[in-house]
Amino acid sequence: MIEAVIFDFDGTLADTLPVCFLAFEGVFKKIDNREVTTEEIIAMFGPSETGIIRKNLKNNKYEEAIELYYEIYKDQHSNIVQHNEEIKILLEHLKTNGYKLGIVTGKARRSLDISLDCLGLKTFFDVIITGDDVELPKPDPEGIYKALEKLNVSHKEAVFLGDSEADIIAGKEANLLTIGVHWLPNIQTAEFKNQPDKIYSSVKDFLRFLSSL
């Protein structure tokens, strides 16, 4: 029986990828004086934003770059990221029906807190594991293992939802039921090489599936 639903964040619970791209573009333009494409940024994903900057910035002004990233992210969040009522209803429904809820994301805690505050989603989750909380980012399952331990559920009692190849690999490595989601406008992986157990482009279809388990 499924007792816990664990989510990725960017591209899964919130359409935050465009503001992430904008912030990274601003950082690399100002600090490195170079243009980066969306595809190049996606290829950097895995570590937290601070990890991405430290790994990919050619100029060593890391702290300045990190602060600039968060400045752009926070300033532009409300302009770019829309409230999604369907996602909020999903979380309310799951909470009301007794599911434990978690987030496992590569985002740093600082940017996740900005997004959760802006979107009014902070109160829903029983556990949050960010890129700051793990040694190995997805596709390594470390974050999922930590979430399961904190939620006090087994891998058989949880489902993991994500929009990227790394999400699905991590979920499978942790032996969870994996759900690929394509219900937000901007996602990381359009076609999964590692097939999730299910793929949903509709929140309602996922809820119907969950209620059938």
Side-chain angles (χ1 to χ4, degrees):
M1 181 178 175
I2 299 299
E3 295 185 12
V5 182
I6 305 172
F7 298 89
D8 169 54
F9 190 76
D10 293 319
T12 301
L13 283 177
D15 191 25
T16 42
L17 288 170
V19 75
C20 295
F21 298 148
L22 183 70
F24 278 124
E25 287 165 5
V27 165
F28 286 107
K29 179 63 177 173
K30 182 172 182 180
I31 307 298
D32 272 356
N33 194 29
R34 64 180 170 121
E35 306 283 347
V36 289
T37 66
T38 297
E39 290 72 23
E40 287 173 327
I41 295 168
I42 289 175
M44 298 175 189
F45 281 4
S48 68
E49 295 93 332
T50 57
I52 288 172
I53 289 169
R54 291 183 185 280
K55 184 177 180 181
N56 294 280
L57 199 71
K58 293 179 180 178
N59 193 308
N60 64 0
K61 297 179 180 177
Y62 301 125
E63 297 310 317
E64 180 184 342
I66 289 165
E67 288 306 313
L68 177 60
Y69 178 90
Y70 289 123
E71 180 183 329
I72 298 170
Y73 189 91
K74 186 173 184 178
D75 286 349
Q76 294 299 318
H77 198 287
S78 60
N79 295 329
I80 295 175
V81 184
Q82 303 299 313
H83 288 258
N84 188 311
E85 196 61 29
E86 197 172 27
I87 294 293
K88 199 162 190 177
I89 290 170
L90 166 66
L91 296 174
E92 288 171 347
H93 174 85
L94 294 173
K95 203 73 176 170
T96 300
N97 284 273
Y99 290 97
K100 298 177 181 179
L101 301 183
I103 290 175
V104 175
T105 178
K107 291 178 84 64
R109 176 75 58 168
R110 187 171 166 185
S111 55
L112 181 64
D113 283 344
I114 291 169
S115 289
L116 292 175
D117 284 338
C118 287
L119 298 172
L121 300 179
K122 202 157 195 173
T123 61
F124 289 104
F125 301 99
D126 302 290
V127 63
I128 293 174
I129 306 295
T130 72
D132 298 334
D133 303 316
V134 297
E135 293 293 327
L136 299 170
K138 292 177 289 184
D140 193 275
E142 179 188 352
I144 295 177
Y145 288 143
K146 284 178 178 288
L148 293 175
E149 182 179 359
K150 288 180 179 293
L151 290 170
N152 194 29
V153 295
S154 75
H155 66 91
K156 295 179 180 179
E157 298 170 319
V159 57
F160 184 60
L161 288 77
D163 69 307
S164 76
E165 194 76 27
D167 292 325
I168 303 309
I169 295 171
K172 286 182 172 294
E173 286 289 317
N175 291 314
L176 267 66
L177 184 67
T178 57
I179 308 294
V181 301
H182 287 159
W183 55 44
L184 291 176
N186 294 280
I187 56 174
Q188 290 184 55
T189 303
E191 293 187 17
F192 295 105
K193 294 176 183 175
N194 293 271
Q195 283 299 306
D197 293 295
K198 298 286 182 180
I199 300 175
Y200 290 108
S201 56
S202 160
V203 170
K204 290 180 180 178
D205 287 345
F206 165 66
L207 277 176
R208 276 194 285 269
F209 167 71
L210 189 62
S211 64
S212 73
L213 296 177

